[in-house]
Amino acid sequence: MSHFDDLPRRDRNHEIEGEAIAAFQTRLTESGAFILQAPDRKDYGTDCQIEVMADGQATNIRVHVQLKGTESALNADGSLSIEVRRTNLNYLLMQPYSVYVAYHAPTGSLRIRTAESVAHQYEHGGNNGPTSGR
């Protein structure tokens, strides 16, 4: 065995991240209602911006997106819970219409929830930070 055989391994989190990005991009393309703008280069809490399309025209109306992926089991009601740090939530709240998109790897499904609804849950449900969506 050569010392060149000792290389970093890609962990499952990186695989899930790649699956999440691919699923999200596919969904955007299929919808025809949004286009993916360039991913944020310095990710402080927004992974990308999507632009609203209207009758085939770019509108420059943009939505900030934080994409998360998980293999966690679904809740009993079929919803999905993910952890959202308060600092990340505060960052997203600076832009109107920001959303969390959660990718559930076992089902290949995407769930969406607005940052405003997550903030509402924080205010009424405690400070633990999980959020869920269908």
Side-chain angles (χ1 to χ4, degrees):
M1 178 178 205
S2 165
H3 63 278
F4 290 113
D5 293 333
D6 190 17
L7 298 170
R9 294 198 179 274
R10 185 172 190 213
D11 68 16
R12 182 65 180 136
N13 288 335
H14 288 128
E15 291 174 8
I16 293 171
E17 180 182 349
E19 291 172 20
I21 292 167
F24 183 61
Q25 288 176 335
T26 297
R27 185 68 52 89
L28 289 178
T29 300
E30 289 171 351
S31 78
F34 300 95
I35 56 172
L36 179 65
Q37 294 297 351
D40 282 5
R41 291 182 42 199
K42 305 263 192 251
D43 180 9
Y44 292 107
T46 298
D47 290 317
C48 65
Q49 294 177 39
I50 56 176
E51 183 173 343
V52 177
M53 300 296 291
D55 297 321
Q57 296 180 330
T59 64
N60 201 29
I61 299 170
R62 299 182 183 217
V63 176
H64 288 249
V65 177
Q66 175 66 45
L67 187 60
K68 298 199 172 264
T70 185
E71 287 185 305
S72 298
L74 296 175
N75 299 322
D77 66 355
S79 64
L80 176 64
S81 293
I82 58 169
E83 182 179 344
V84 173
R85 292 187 182 140
R86 187 63 202 211
T87 54
N88 178 256
L89 176 59
N90 290 343
Y91 188 81
L92 279 181
L93 288 170
M94 295 298 167
Q95 294 295 323
Y97 314 114
S98 294
V99 296
Y100 288 96
V101 175
Y103 172 74
H104 186 242
T107 61
S109 63
L110 292 168
R111 316 289 177 99
I112 187 168
R113 186 139 182 224
T114 65
E116 288 84 6
S117 71
V118 174
H120 181 75
Q121 182 177 349
Y122 253 105
E123 293 166 7
H124 294 93
N127 295 335
N128 58 359
T131 183
S132 61
R134 290 187 182 254

